[in-house]
Amino acid sequence: MKSAKLTLFITSLGVLLLFYVSNQMTVRPGTISGNGNPVLIVVALLLPLFIFIVILWRRIFGVHSISQSFSIVGIILTFVHLIIAFIYQRISLANYREIIKDAYLEKDGEVDSQYIQDITTGITIHVNNQYFNVNTFFMFISFSIFIALAFYLWDSHENKAGNRDE
C-alpha cells in the first residue's frame, strides 16, 4: 500500500513538473511564435500518466475500503471542484486575451480581434500558460480522483449485486 501512495506522490510530482515546463513554453504577449507547439509532446505523455494515476487512486480506495457514501460525497465534491475550476479557467482565458490585445495595441497601435481569437483558441503556444498552471494541475488531479471514485463505486455496486445473485 505504501508503494502505491509513494508512486502516486512521485507521479503527481512528475505531472506537476510537466505542467510547469509546459507553462514556461508560452510566448510573451505581443510576440509572434514559430511553427508548432512543443507542448503537444507533453500532452501525449499526460494521457498515459492520467490513466496510471487513476489506477493508483483506485487501488488506494480499494485497500482502504471506503464506504459507498464517502464515494458519492467524493464524486460530488470533485465534480463541483471541476465545474468551479473550469469557470475560473474560462474567466482567466478571457482576461489573458485582453492582456495579449493590450500588448499588440502597445506594439503595433492596432489589434486584429480575429487574430487574437485565433492565437488563443486550441492548443497554441500563446496559451500554454492557460492550459498548464496550478489550477489546471489540480483539475487534472481532481478529475483522476473523480474517475477513480466512479470506478470504485461501480465495482463495489457490481460486487454487491453479484453477491446477492449467488
Side-chain angles (χ1 to χ4, degrees):
M1 170 41 65
K2 283 186 179 186
S3 66
K5 289 179 182 177
L6 182 62
T7 304
L8 177 62
F9 179 73
I10 292 169
T11 305
S12 296
L13 284 178
V15 167
L16 181 61
L17 179 65
L18 289 174
F19 269 66
Y20 175 76
V21 168
S22 298
N23 180 289
Q24 297 303 305
M25 289 187 192
T26 306
V27 296
R28 257 186 4 261
T31 59
I32 297 173
S33 67
N35 293 330
N37 188 354
V39 169
L40 294 176
I41 296 167
V42 172
V43 171
L45 294 172
L46 286 174
L47 181 61
L49 286 172
F50 179 80
I51 293 167
F52 184 59
I53 288 173
V54 168
I55 291 167
L56 291 171
W57 278 118
R58 173 60 187 89
R59 184 177 300 157
I60 291 168
F61 295 150
V63 167
H64 288 291
S65 299
I66 60 175
S67 68
Q68 183 176 5
S69 58
F70 180 86
S71 297
I72 292 169
V73 169
I75 287 171
I76 292 168
L77 289 176
T78 54
F79 187 70
V80 168
H81 171 257
L82 289 167
I83 290 171
I84 292 168
F86 181 77
I87 292 168
Y88 172 81
Q89 202 58 41
R90 296 287 298 175
I91 292 168
S92 177
L93 178 60
N95 292 338
Y96 191 66
R97 282 183 174 136
E98 289 300 316
I99 291 170
I100 293 174
K101 180 180 169 185
D102 292 344
Y104 275 100
L105 266 174
E106 186 177 313
K107 179 183 164 208
D108 300 332
E110 63 182 357
V111 173
D112 179 0
S113 295
Q114 184 59 47
Y115 176 72
I116 300 298
Q117 187 67 32
D118 290 345
I119 66 170
T120 59
T121 302
I123 300 179
T124 70
I125 199 163
H126 293 276
V127 289
N128 285 342
N129 62 350
Q130 296 299 301
Y131 295 131
F132 299 97
N133 56 50
V134 173
N135 181 50
T136 56
F137 170 73
F138 283 117
M139 288 174 73
F140 184 91
I141 298 298
S142 285
F143 191 55
S144 70
I145 294 169
F146 176 83
I147 297 295
L149 283 170
F151 278 125
Y152 179 78
L153 190 61
W154 177 270
D155 288 345
S156 65
H157 177 69
E158 289 291 315
N159 288 337
K160 285 181 184 178
N163 290 340
R164 277 187 257 146
D165 292 342
E166 292 176 3

